[in-house]
Amino acid sequence: MADTPSIIPIKKPTPPAPPAPPRPPGLAKDVKWEDAIFNAIFNGERRINTLLKIGRDAGGTDKKNVRATVLKYLEIPFPAGGVECERQRNRNADAKPDKPDESFTGRYESTGGSHGRYFWAINQAGNVVIAIRTMRDYSTSDKGDASQKYLELRGDLQGNRTAAMFVANDPGKFWGYLQPISRTELRWHYGSYLDVDGKRVDVEGHSYDDEHLRLVSGRPTLMKSLYLSGDHSLNVLMQEAEWFPLTAERYQFLEEGARSSLLRTLLEDYVKTPDGFTAEEKRTKDSAAARLVVYMANLLWDGQPSTKADALTLPPALEEAYRKELAAYLKRARGIAFGHHNNLSLATHVAKIWLAHEKLNYGQVKRSFLDWLIHIAQDRNTKGWLGERHAKTLSRLLEIPLNRSSGTYRYRMKLDLYSFLGFRVEGKLLVEPLTDPKWGATSYDVSGWWIGPPVIFAEHDEVFDVEKEMPQQWLKEDFEGTLYIGELTFGVKTPWFDFDLVDLHGVYLRSKNGLLLDIEEWDIDPSVGPGSGKTPKKPWKVSGGFIRASVSLAKSKLIDLSKPYPESKELTRNLDSAQHFCFGDAFLTAAGRQYLRLVCADQLAAFSSTTVDIAIMGHADRPSRAGPKLNEELSLRRAENVKTALQDILGEQLKIPPNDIRTLGFGDLEQWFADWLKSFPDKTIAKPTRDPYRRRVDLFINAKLVATFRDHV
């Protein structure tokens, strides 16, 4: 950085207002009111009524023209242009909390409007509000095409307990304001705003387009930047869970349908029915399979007319016992309008959890409902064209591949452990999927206790390295839970031989999601060895112990300096490249503060966590007549002022203590190292260079670069 101030003049773009009416020839157009509105917004003013007053006080006589200009400017996160920089304040900024007059964060179901029911996921950070709005039912006007789409909205509090909101990618398409009715209810007023007298002003909207929002959950929503991974299937599942969640009615239908006594009876009916040799016997087996397929098709219908399930009919032997239950099931299935048309992956995932929960014993075999259905699909796949048809339908409904083996997903699992003081156990569990979908090797922290005689594991002592084949897919989160490792040895000692009559060893993982995996089943391994030649004091021996340890995804201990997480460009638009600091100044500009608000709203779910890790790092470039100390101080002050602004915006939504937020000022160290690399062959430090890229503050959340604040345009 340099030591002299710099003034960048404001460059006001042509306001995007509609064309003014024709004016008499020779009469100059007065645009002072437009300048006044522009400068007010550039200094952080986002309230419609205040901007309207500023425009009128500055000479704007055409109310409609002034209003159109205000709304057009507010459609974007921040107007383009330079920043007037006249001061260089190298000190900590005073706290200036946003003090929002209303809290909108939550997840809502809406009714009303002219196009059906919607789900709203709203995050608020300070005076900024963002939202995702998705359809709950097919739109009659769009013939269902819009049911899987969503609107991303962005807006600001207005100081009258309302929030003006615009669709991020097409502001003129959908806009309006949110207004609280009670603690758990909001109202969306389309194409309107609230004037200074508290009256609704309809610009494009009508009351019949309004929506009534009812609070379902007060938690913030995971936006796309928080769940994107290399696993497409996981991304789809997370997006549906966050943006197209199941209603309570659908969730209850899936749970009760997957655990019903009718499904248990249909499974028993299939496995008890012999394959047979005659055509009649084979038709009986096919009919038993068809009833299972129809039952599951009603449970997991994707809403497409071509896949609509047939009516389920029962044989006389079952009809009388299950007539009422079947009628109730089909009535509820028909009541789930259009099936799971926009959250089928989520519905299937929930159904499979409950199918895996219920068990059915038949003969000497004990399987979950899910395992029985997978087994039946594999079995039918070998029984001719009708069997293959049933198998393919079950494969599609349950999202399982068809093959001849009972196991369809393979994982490699490797556990290293070491102990402290003979009782405390720590280690790493490595899990690598060997079949699709492959999300790469993942490390888990293992921490627990050894119960038994003290034992010392050498560092990185390998407990097991195995490949497991399972009939259902496990996600990364499914391997989090509790690990159980047990050993028991019982034997007899003689002067000539040592007999280990029983040598048991077993390893099990119980997932926090309710799944159970036998990594190494209990195994009896008797053995014999030479004796000591002396008569033992005790002719028998018993030894063993037990480990109970928690398993959780390993946290990265390194700062990731790679490409930032992709916060929604539709939300931030030009703000990520705006001027966030004046040259040589430690205070955030209005653009920088607004950018931070949007980042906070986008990442609100992370900031609301009690375990979030936040680091803020300031940098500068090299030229400075005052020496490197000034750069170090400036980079640190900027980082600390971003932290202060973070607290101002989030307030009580920030769940970690302020002292846990790390702020660092590296001065020109990064630039010095870059110059040294350029001159490395000569082993001389190159002449200090000015690089605007180095003058920045980086915000890291959970070791990921989330946002960068710069002092240049």
Side-chain angles (χ1 to χ4, degrees), residues 416-426 449-463 487 544-547:
D416 292 338
L417 286 180
Y418 57 94
S419 67
F420 297 100
L421 303 176
F423 294 101
R424 182 64 178 173
V425 177
E426 303 280 352
W449 297 91
W450 167 267
I451 302 172
V455 61
I456 302 297
F457 293 101
E459 187 173 2
H460 302 303
D461 184 23
E462 184 178 295
V463 179
E487 292 184 350
F546 178 75
I547 292 176

Side-chain angles (χ1 to χ4, degrees), residues 136-378:
R136 302 305 264 158
D137 297 317
Y138 276 111
S139 166
T140 54
S141 61
D142 293 308
K143 298 181 180 179
D145 294 338
S147 66
Q148 293 178 309
K149 298 178 182 178
Y150 62 89
L151 296 179
E152 195 171 16
L153 296 98
R154 182 213 68 253
D156 306 273
L157 296 188
Q158 295 298 300
N160 53 11
R161 300 185 67 231
T162 69
M165 306 283 289
F166 299 86
V167 169
N169 62 347
D170 189 1
K173 175 183 177 182
F174 187 81
W175 69 279
Y177 70 96
L178 287 169
Q179 183 178 31
I181 300 174
S182 68
R183 288 186 177 182
T184 59
E185 295 175 295
L186 304 175
R187 192 167 187 85
W188 168 252
H189 302 267
Y190 170 71
S192 312
Y193 67 92
L194 207 64
D195 68 10
V196 291
D197 298 322
K199 297 180 180 179
R200 170 176 175 164
V201 178
D202 286 321
V203 181
E204 300 173 2
H206 303 280
S207 59
Y208 57 76
D209 286 322
D210 291 353
E211 298 175 37
H212 184 89
L213 281 64
R214 180 181 57 83
L215 184 68
V216 177
S217 168
R219 76 168 177 87
T221 295
L222 292 177
M223 296 301 175
K224 189 183 299 182
S225 56
L226 284 177
Y227 64 72
L228 278 181
S229 72
D231 186 342
H232 174 73
S233 298
L234 180 59
N235 290 340
V236 171
L237 186 63
M238 288 297 296
Q239 179 165 320
E240 290 184 4
E242 291 299 296
W243 298 0
F244 299 88
L246 294 166
T247 61
E249 175 192 21
R250 279 176 163 81
Y251 188 91
Q252 186 179 19
F253 172 67
L254 289 167
E255 178 185 353
E256 294 180 359
R259 305 178 68 183
S260 74
S261 58
L262 175 56
L263 177 57
R264 179 183 295 274
T265 299
L266 293 176
L267 288 168
E268 289 178 339
D269 180 52
Y270 177 85
V271 296
K272 289 179 180 179
T273 303
D275 288 339
F277 297 97
T278 67
E280 182 63 29
E281 290 173 333
K282 291 181 178 180
R283 279 195 296 270
T284 302
K285 189 72 170 181
D286 286 336
S287 297
R291 287 189 287 272
L292 276 171
V293 170
V294 172
Y295 184 95
M296 295 305 301
N298 275 283
L299 187 69
L300 295 171
W301 181 40
D302 62 5
Q304 298 297 326
S306 60
T307 58
K308 189 171 180 62
D310 299 327
L312 177 59
T313 57
L314 299 177
L318 301 177
E319 172 70 24
E320 184 175 352
Y322 289 95
R323 182 186 297 111
K324 291 183 179 180
E325 185 173 344
L326 174 60
Y329 174 73
L330 293 178
K331 181 179 180 181
R332 292 186 67 183
R334 288 191 294 269
I336 304 296
F338 305 107
H340 310 289
H341 58 283
N342 54 16
N343 50 20
L344 181 62
S345 293
L346 177 61
T348 303
H349 181 74
V350 169
K352 288 168 75 172
I353 288 176
W354 291 114
L355 288 169
H357 184 271
E358 294 298 310
K359 302 295 189 293
L360 171 64
N361 297 341
Y362 179 72
Q364 301 298 317
V365 180
K366 180 180 180 180
R367 291 191 177 108
S368 68
F369 283 10
L370 179 61
D371 289 340
W372 275 115
L373 288 168
I374 294 172
H375 171 76
I376 291 169
Q378 307 295 354

Side-chain angles (χ1 to χ4, degrees), residues 500-516:
D500 288 341
L501 302 178
V502 177
D503 190 359
L504 291 174
H505 177 81
V507 182
Y508 291 84
L509 174 64
R510 179 173 291 279
S511 167
K512 66 179 183 181
N513 294 331
L515 304 172
L516 181 64

Side-chain angles (χ1 to χ4, degrees), residues 464-652:
F464 59 77
D465 187 351
V466 298
E467 291 186 11
K468 290 296 295 183
E469 191 173 71
M470 296 181 283
Q472 67 186 89
Q473 177 188 357
W474 281 43
L475 304 176
K476 287 184 181 181
E477 293 78 8
D478 292 330
F479 288 93
E480 293 187 295
T482 306
L483 184 69
Y484 300 92
I485 304 175
E487 292 184 350
L488 176 63
T489 301
F490 176 76
V492 176
K493 293 182 178 181
T494 71
W496 307 280
F497 299 100
D498 276 358
F499 295 96
D500 288 341
L501 302 178
V502 177
D503 190 359
L504 291 174
H505 177 81
V507 182
Y508 291 84
L509 174 64
R510 179 173 291 279
S511 167
K512 66 179 183 181
N513 294 331
L515 304 172
L516 181 64
L517 174 63
D518 53 329
I519 300 175
E520 290 187 349
E521 297 184 3
W522 286 105
D523 184 29
I524 301 177
D525 185 19
S527 61
V528 61
S532 62
K534 299 179 181 179
T535 302
K537 294 181 179 180
K538 295 181 179 180
W540 48 268
K541 62 176 181 178
V542 178
S543 63
F546 178 75
I547 292 176
R548 184 181 187 275
S550 64
V551 180
S552 59
L553 278 166
K555 293 183 179 179
S556 173
K557 301 298 192 297
L558 300 176
I559 295 296
D560 183 0
L561 295 173
S562 61
K563 185 177 179 180
Y565 263 25
E567 85 284 350
S568 173
K569 293 299 181 184
E570 299 295 347
L571 288 175
T572 59
R573 299 283 286 275
N574 60 320
L575 263 178
D576 61 345
S577 58
Q579 188 159 3
H580 308 129
F581 291 101
C582 285
F583 186 80
D585 192 60
F587 284 32
L588 278 169
T589 64
R593 200 173 181 90
Q594 185 73 356
Y595 180 44
L596 182 58
R597 288 190 184 102
L598 285 167
V599 170
C600 287
D602 184 58
Q603 307 276 330
L604 186 60
F607 284 118
S608 300
S609 169
T610 56
T611 60
V612 67
D613 180 78
I614 302 174
I616 307 172
M617 301 183 181
H619 299 272
D621 60 1
R622 291 187 67 194
S624 174
R625 295 176 186 175
K629 185 176 180 180
L630 177 62
N631 281 336
E632 292 175 9
E633 291 178 353
L634 179 61
S635 62
L636 179 59
R637 295 292 179 269
R638 284 179 169 177
E640 290 175 340
N641 287 344
V642 170
K643 173 182 173 179
T644 299
L646 193 70
Q647 295 172 258
D648 289 345
I649 293 167
L650 290 171
E652 295 182 355

